[in-house]
Amino acid sequence: MGQINREDMLELTRRMTVSRNCFFRVAGAYFDEEGYVDGTFNTHFLKLPRAEQEKNLKLAKMIPFARTNQELKEYPFTKDTLKPGSTRQFLMGLLESELKNDAMLDIFYETLGERYQKGKNYVVYFFLGNYDIPRKGTDQADQWESEEVYRFLVCAVCPVRGDYEPGDPECGFLFPAFKDRSGAPEYIDIFCGEEHREFMELLGIKKL
């Protein structure tokens, strides 16, 4: 298990505001108490009303903004998880499809519904973002030139209260990991407590 640089996460979350929004698509599904999908959504982020954008950004930000190396931890993908058909390959496919492949998303929803905790309603969100990483000068000040475009997924699993109103995320992830101000597809940053071990197993990650 690696160490997450808190400054990297803060740099990323500063782009998660309505005025500096880095997300361009959001998709997800609602689940009933038995783990069956109760409805899905998939839309361009900027087509959401401003109030919905703010609500979604708040949820997305909670994953990278979680306490680094305590609630949010970095895990490497092992050789077994790099094989064809692996979770990492699946996540790369979601990135490459820009969350527009509903069939791939349905596979994730079905697997989550089978393995995640039953007996409650919840919703899973996928946020697709781009961060044009500015080059740092010798004085560490941001330059105008772009160093790299970091394309990433934020996933958040939230309990649902009332009329499809999401609560704070119970677990989620950032993929690829944002490491040394760059995308690191060999790693994934997971937000998950001990009570949600099945979520890590779903991602093909074992506790180190």
Side-chain angles (χ1 to χ4, degrees), residues 175-205:
F175 175 81
F178 191 52
K179 190 176 179 70
D180 299 324
R181 302 190 70 245
S182 180
E186 301 83 12
Y187 297 87
I188 184 171
D189 293 339
I190 300 178
F191 170 71
C192 181
E194 288 293 331
E195 68 275 21
H196 296 291
R197 299 300 304 169
E198 73 280 5
F199 185 74
M200 288 188 64
E201 293 170 2
L202 182 151
L203 297 173
I205 299 296

Side-chain angles (χ1 to χ4, degrees), residues 20-80:
R20 305 182 72 186
N21 173 46
C22 60
F23 295 117
F24 59 96
R25 195 156 199 88
V26 57
Y30 291 93
F31 293 80
D32 65 18
E33 295 180 353
E34 297 181 351
Y36 292 108
V37 173
D38 196 27
T40 62
F41 52 92
N42 192 335
T43 188
H44 196 290
F45 194 89
L46 295 180
K47 289 185 177 179
L48 296 173
R50 184 182 177 90
E52 286 296 310
Q53 290 185 35
E54 291 176 344
K55 183 165 63 176
N56 277 263
L57 285 166
K58 179 182 177 182
L59 292 174
K61 187 184 295 186
M62 286 183 181
I63 303 303
F65 199 67
R67 290 181 296 171
T68 50
N69 307 306
Q70 297 179 56
E71 297 173 324
L72 183 71
K73 298 179 181 180
E74 179 186 279
Y75 294 90
F77 286 101
T78 63
K79 290 183 179 179
D80 289 340

Side-chain angles (χ1 to χ4, degrees), residues 82-181:
L82 295 176
K83 295 178 180 178
S86 67
T87 301
R88 177 182 175 275
Q89 185 183 55
F90 180 80
L91 294 176
M92 291 298 295
L94 287 180
L95 274 175
E96 291 166 4
S97 71
E98 299 184 347
L99 290 182
K100 295 178 182 178
N101 189 326
D102 287 325
M104 289 188 70
L105 288 166
D106 286 343
I107 291 173
F108 185 89
Y109 301 152
E110 181 178 350
T111 306
L112 181 67
E114 290 174 351
R115 300 188 184 183
Y116 200 66
Q117 294 182 349
K118 301 292 195 295
K120 62 181 178 181
N121 299 318
Y122 60 92
V123 57
V124 57
Y125 289 87
F126 276 108
F127 301 94
L128 178 67
N130 274 347
Y131 173 34
D132 208 3
I133 305 171
R135 187 183 301 276
K136 292 283 188 181
T138 55
D139 60 355
Q140 296 302 304
D142 289 350
Q143 307 296 307
W144 287 107
E145 300 87 12
S146 172
E147 192 166 85
E148 174 190 342
V149 176
Y150 168 55
R151 174 163 290 186
F152 62 97
L153 290 172
V154 172
C155 174
V157 181
C158 310
V160 172
R161 305 187 183 96
D163 188 20
Y164 291 97
E165 191 66 28
D168 292 348
E170 295 178 338
C171 49
F173 63 80
L174 169 67
F175 175 81
F178 191 52
K179 190 176 179 70
D180 299 324
R181 302 190 70 245

